[in-house]
C-alpha cells in the first residue's frame, strides 16, 4: 500500500496582482503609458497550485482578511480546490503592482497585507504531522509581528515537519539577523539567481559555501535556479 504523502502547509502571503505592460521602465518623476493585463492572485498560490495539481495535500495557513482582496483570494483557493484553515482577521490581503517591460523583465511594488499582523495563537491551534512540509517566503519576514509568530511556532514544531524557505523578490530588503534567526530551522532553501545574489549581499557569504550550509537545518538543501540551469547544494 502506498504511503500517504505529507501535506504542504503554506504560511507565505498571497497578493492581488495588477500586471502593467510598459514599453520602457519610467525614469524617476516621469510617466509612461501602460497596458493593463488581467488581475489575479499571486504569491504563495503560485507554489500551492502546482503542488495541489501533483496530488499533494495543500493547506493555506496564512491569515486572510475581511476586505475585497481577501474575498478574491478565497475564491481563487476554492476554484483551485485548495483548503484554507487560516484565521480570519480584520484587514485585507496586500497587492503587487507589476511593471512588465519588453523582453519580459518584471519590476514589482508589493504592499504588506493582513499577514503583517499574524499572531502565534493563529498557528498553535493547527496540528503538524510527521512528513509535512511548511512553506515560507523570506519576504514576509520584513513584518515584525509575522517574524515573531513564525519563529516561535517553528521552535514548537521542531523536527516534526520539514521547512522550505523561498528567498522571494524582497530578498534585498532582508536583514542578516532576520535570516540568521530562521535559517537553522530550514531544510530546503530556494532562490533564483538574482535573489541568491541579494542574499549573498545580506549575509556576506555565498549560498554554495559551507558557511551558508552550516546555518541550515540538518541534511538541508539549497537550490538556486536560473533560466538555463538549476544548482543543488
Amino acid at each position: 500500500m502506498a504511503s500517504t504523502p505529507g501535506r504542504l502547509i503554506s504560511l507565505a502571503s498571497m497578493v492581488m496582482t495588477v500586471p502593467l505592460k510598459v514599453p520602457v521602465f519610467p525614469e524617476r518623476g516621469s510617466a509612461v503609458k501602460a497596458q493593463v493585463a488581467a488581475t489575479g492572485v499571486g504569491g504563495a498560490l503560485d507554489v500551492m497550485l502546482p503542488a495541489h495539481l501533483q496530488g499533494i495535500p495543500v493547506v493555506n495557513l496564512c491569515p486572510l482578511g475581511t476586505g475585497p482582496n481577501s474575498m478574491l483570494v478565497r475564491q481563487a483557493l476554492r476554484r483551485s480546490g485548495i483548503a484554507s484553515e487560516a484565521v480570519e482577521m480584520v484587514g485585507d490581503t496586500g497587492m503587487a503592482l507589476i511593471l512588465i517591460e519588453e523582453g519580459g523583465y518584471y519590476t514589482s511594488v508589493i504592499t504588506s497585507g493582513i499577514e503583517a499582523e499574524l499572531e502565534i495563537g493563529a498557528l498553535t491551534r493547527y496540528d503538524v504531522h510527521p512528513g509535512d512540509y511548511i512553506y515560507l517566503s523570506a519576504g514576509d519576514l520584513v513584518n515584525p509581528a509575522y517574524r515573531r509568530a513564525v519563529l516561535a511556532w517553528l521552535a514548537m514544531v521542531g523536527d516534526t515537519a520539514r521547512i522550505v524557505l523561498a528567498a522571494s523578490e524582497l530578498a534585498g530588503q532582508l536583514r542578516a539577523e532576520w535570516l540568521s534567526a530562521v535559517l537553522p530551522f530550514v531544510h530546503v532553501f530556494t532562490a533564483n539567481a538574482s535573489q541568491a545574489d541579494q542574499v549573498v549581499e545580506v549575509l556576506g557569504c555565498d549560498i554554495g559555501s559551507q558557511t551558508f550550509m552550516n546555518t541550515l537545518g540538518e541534511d538541508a538543501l539549497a537550490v538556486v535556479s536560473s533560466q538555463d540551469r538549476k544548482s543543488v547544494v
Side-chain angles (χ1 to χ4, degrees):
M1 180 181 296
S3 60
T4 302
R7 298 168 298 175
L8 176 65
I9 302 169
S10 176
L11 265 179
S13 61
M14 288 172 279
V15 292
M16 288 301 302
T17 58
V18 183
L20 301 175
K21 295 182 179 180
V22 295
V24 294
F25 190 81
E27 296 181 6
R28 180 178 296 177
S30 68
V32 295
K33 285 286 188 179
Q35 178 183 353
V36 180
T39 59
V41 178
L45 185 62
D46 295 335
V47 173
M48 291 190 287
L49 183 55
H52 172 72
L53 292 176
Q54 293 182 59
I56 299 171
V58 179
V59 179
N60 169 60
L61 270 194
C62 193
L64 296 174
T66 54
N69 291 346
S70 292
M71 295 299 181
L72 292 172
V73 169
R74 287 188 181 87
Q75 291 174 10
L77 290 172
R78 283 196 295 268
R79 285 196 304 270
S80 302
I82 296 173
S84 180
E85 299 194 25
V87 297
E88 181 176 273
M89 301 169 63
V90 177
D92 207 357
T93 297
M95 299 186 68
L97 181 66
I98 305 171
L99 299 183
I100 308 171
E101 301 175 69
E102 291 186 8
Y105 295 101
Y106 281 54
T107 303
S108 302
V109 179
I110 304 171
T111 67
S112 293
I114 195 63
E115 76 282 347
E117 301 176 24
L118 179 66
E119 297 179 352
I120 183 63
L123 303 177
T124 54
R125 58 190 284 275
Y126 190 80
D127 292 329
V128 177
H129 307 302
D132 287 343
Y133 282 78
I134 297 174
Y135 173 71
L136 305 170
S137 172
D140 293 327
L141 298 175
V142 301
N143 302 304
Y146 179 96
R147 190 167 63 248
R148 288 192 298 269
V150 167
L151 288 172
W153 190 56
L154 292 181
M156 295 178 186
V157 170
D159 295 329
T160 304
R162 306 281 286 179
I163 311 303
V164 181
L165 179 67
S168 96
E169 302 92 335
L170 296 173
Q173 297 188 29
L174 299 173
R175 294 182 182 176
E177 58 264 33
W178 302 344
L179 277 175
S180 297
V182 73
L183 287 176
F185 298 103
V186 173
H187 301 93
V188 181
F189 178 86
T190 70
N192 62 33
S194 174
Q195 294 163 2
D197 289 341
Q198 295 177 64
V199 171
V200 169
E201 291 185 14
V202 172
L203 291 178
C205 64
D206 189 86
I207 288 179
S209 69
Q210 193 61 47
T211 300
F212 178 80
M213 296 304 297
N214 286 342
T215 66
L216 301 179
E218 188 176 356
D219 299 324
L221 296 175
V223 182
V224 178
S225 60
S226 64
Q227 291 184 340
D228 56 353
R229 72 182 192 283
K230 180 178 292 186
S231 300
V232 180
V233 181

